[in-house]
Each structure stands twice: as C-alpha cells, then as structure tokens.
Amino acid sequence: MRNKKTPAKLSTNLIHKGDGKFCRKLADMSSVPETFPVYLTSVFAFDEVPPVDAIYEHKSDAYIYSRMANPNSDAVAEILAAADGSPSARKKKTGALVFSSGMAAIITAILSSVKSGDHIVASSVLYGGVYDYLANELPRFGVSVTFVDFLKDDFTRAFRPETKLVYTEIISNPLMEVPDIAAIAKEAHSRGLLFFVDNTFATPAIARPLSLGADASLYSTTKYLGGHSDITGGALTANSELVAKIKRFQTLYGAMPSPLDCWLLARSLRTLDLRMKKHSKNALLVAEFLEAHPKVEKVFYPGLKSSPSHKTAAAQFANGRFGGMLSVNIKGGVREASKLIKEMKIISFVPSLAGTATTVSYPVKTSHRAYSAEALKAAGITQGQLRFSIGLEDADDIIADISASLDKI
Ligand SMILES: *Cc1c(COP(=O)(O)O)cnc(C)c1O
C-alpha cells in the first residue's frame, strides 16, 4: 500500500517528467542552445510505427539507437568531415565516422575492406597496436600483410594480384618519417587498390590526406583531436560511399563512442587549429635545441632541415607546421634514457601523446613492445630512443627542463 506521505504517482513522475517529450517542446521554441548539448540517451522514443519503418528503409535519418548513430556522433562527424573535406579527385562528398578508439576506427576500416585471401601492403613503422594487429592477428583470418619502407623501398614490388589495401601513417611513430602520400595514392589507384592514411600525428590542421589522394583518413581522437588527455576515441573521414560501407561494420561491431565522449571531442575540435599551431612552434624550438646538444645522437622531427622527410613534409603540410611529435636518440641506452625520464620535472613519462602538457614516452618499453628485436632493428627503433609529445607550455620552460635533466645523465 502507498505510504500516505509519498505523493501519488511519485515513481511515475520521477520517470516521465522532463523526459524525451520535453525535447519536442524545446524543438518548438524560437531559441536554440548556442552550443550543441550532450544527448545522453541510448535509445529514442516514437509515437507510432511508421517513423521506425522509415528509418530502416533509409527514408528518414531520424535516430533510433545510439550505437547506430546519435546526435553527438553526428555533430562531431559534421565537424570532422568539414575539416578534412576537400574537392577530392573523385569529387564525392566527404563523410566522417567516430569510433570508441583509434584502434576501433582503424580495424573497422580495414575489416570492411578485406576478406580471407586478400593481401595488404603496409608501412613497417606503425603504431604498435596496429602493427600487432596486422602482423599477428589478421593472418588468423587468412589476410596476409607485406611490410615496406615507403621512403626507401620500391614498394610497388610488394603488390600482388590479391592486394586490396595500402596502409601508412602520415608521420610515422616513433621515427617521424613522412611518406609522399600523393605518390603512393597514384600507385595504389592505378591498380584499383584502396589507400588508407593514419593522420593522427598531423591532424587536419596540418595535413588533409583525402586532398592528397588517400581514400580514408584515420584518427585516434585520443590524441590531438581530443587533445586534453581525457577521452579515448577514433574517427575516419572518407567519401560518403566508403563511409556508408564502413558504417555498416561500425554498427555491427559496436565501435561507437559514448555521446559524452563525442561531445568532449566536438568541444576540443574548436581549438584544434590554435593548438596545432603552438604544438608545432614549440616542437621546432625543442628539436633545434636537442639537435645542437652534445648528449644527443640524433633528432627525428620533419620540421628540421636535416630530416630526410623535410622536403616531402613541407610540400604536403600546411602553414609551415610539422606537428608536436619528435623523437630523439640519447647517447647511450636504457640506463641513460631511463635516467633522463626520471630527472625531468615538468615532463612526465606518459605512454601516450598529444595532450596539453609536454610528455615523454619510451617506445621500446611501451608502444612498440610487440616488435621483435629484429623488427626494432630493421625499423631503427633503439633502446636509447625517447619520444616527446611537445605541449602548449612556454617553450623556454620545456627546454629548461630537458636541458637540466640532460646535464645530470
Ligand atoms: C594512439 C594511436 C593509435 C591507436 O589509437 P587508440 O585511441 O589508442 O586506440 C593509432 N594510430 C596512432 C598513430 C596512434 O598514435
């Protein structure tokens, strides 16, 4: 029996007041929120059956279930499509999809493009997780992969009749090499192959792979697009036909991010251009400092004139920017690299990248653990190699921290 002190219909009111019907009322008002709100809803409500039929018959783009699409995933996709969109060679409309992680974006894009018996040509220096997937997981499904050095090899020799896909990063991790995207696109397309480019390190504020001829531009939005080390996510941009094809797999595999993460990503994208400008400016200053330092063997940064990738990078990158990522070979090995990490005060050891703060990572100990000793050697990833993600602080303070720490090793 109802307790007299409880108002009638308490449970019903708690459940039904201020619910989705309130959105209808809002939609009829003559003002809208200045910023796009977060739609934390897993599902959408209907008054009758026909609108649901219309969605499944592709006659309506209303929402039904947030794993398939939701206002926040669409809002952020709209921003990304506009950022990467270009009158591509094929003159198709650019679309975008967002994912629950960079790995989800990359794997969903790859799985939607190959089947058992197919072959992929990929760069030998890749984000560790992607390398692990290509080298150790895809073969389980009968898909083989040949790894090539797009800068040094005649990569066309790796193509086979069953090759379907060509894959590279626009700035390789951790060696910061920049392949000629337009040249690879030309070779791939002349054979009818798809060409995917991981644009995580550059972002649309520095390079737009679709305009250089790639079929899809892939992102870990955990990195610069998010930019504040507070979300895990992924994205891709491509022409609307390819997006529609990959979207089917995204829905099946359940690789959709939460509406809140989409909202955070949209918020971060507002400042992407400003952030990439400062990341790039600071990174060049740090790279120049390191290059002149006696305890440094080698600096890997495409913005340095000494970089073998400098010319290609300058030709493909916008606004004289080369990004915030650089690697450095410290003279010595594990002992010296570990000591430097320990000595630095404002720079923390963070096995990721692209936040607002400058951080350092140690590829052989973290992201590139999946590489065998031979693969590391072949790629040029050494025990004395550290990777810096240069942040948005005052460049003088970043350099002072590295300089004082180098003095102690
Ligand atoms: C981090 C990263 C990935 C993987 O993204 P997650 O969001 O960690 O799944 C892929 N490619 C590059 C270049 C990355 O830096």
Side-chain angles (χ1 to χ4, degrees), residues 253-300:
Y253 298 141
M256 184 63 103
S258 79
L260 183 58
D261 281 350
C262 294
W263 185 90
L264 284 165
L265 177 56
R267 184 193 168 119
S268 293
L269 289 171
R270 307 299 183 203
T271 56
L272 179 70
D273 195 44
L274 276 175
R275 287 187 283 111
M276 293 318 293
K277 184 178 176 185
K278 178 116 194 236
H279 281 301
S280 299
K281 192 173 164 217
N282 280 357
L284 182 60
L285 292 169
V286 175
E288 286 170 348
F289 161 78
L290 286 169
E291 194 170 43
H293 200 284
K295 288 188 181 165
V296 167
E297 202 171 82
K298 192 168 176 188
V299 181
F300 304 84

Side-chain angles (χ1 to χ4, degrees), residues 155-169:
F155 58 88
T156 60
R157 294 178 59 187
F159 292 141
R160 301 184 197 157
E162 60 275 21
T163 306
K164 285 283 149 57
L165 174 68
V166 182
Y167 185 96
T168 189
E169 289 171 3

Side-chain angles (χ1 to χ4, degrees), residues 101-103 106 127 130 169 173 198 200-201 220 222-223 233 353:
S101 69
M103 289 302 290
I106 293 164
Y127 177 75
V130 175
E169 289 171 3
N173 176 17
D198 182 335
T200 299
F201 276 29
S220 165
T222 315
K223 314 296 167 52
L353 58 119

Side-chain angles (χ1 to χ4, degrees), residues 222 226-232 261 264 268:
T222 315
H228 295 72
S229 310
D230 52 11
I231 56 170
T232 299
D261 281 350
L264 284 165
S268 293

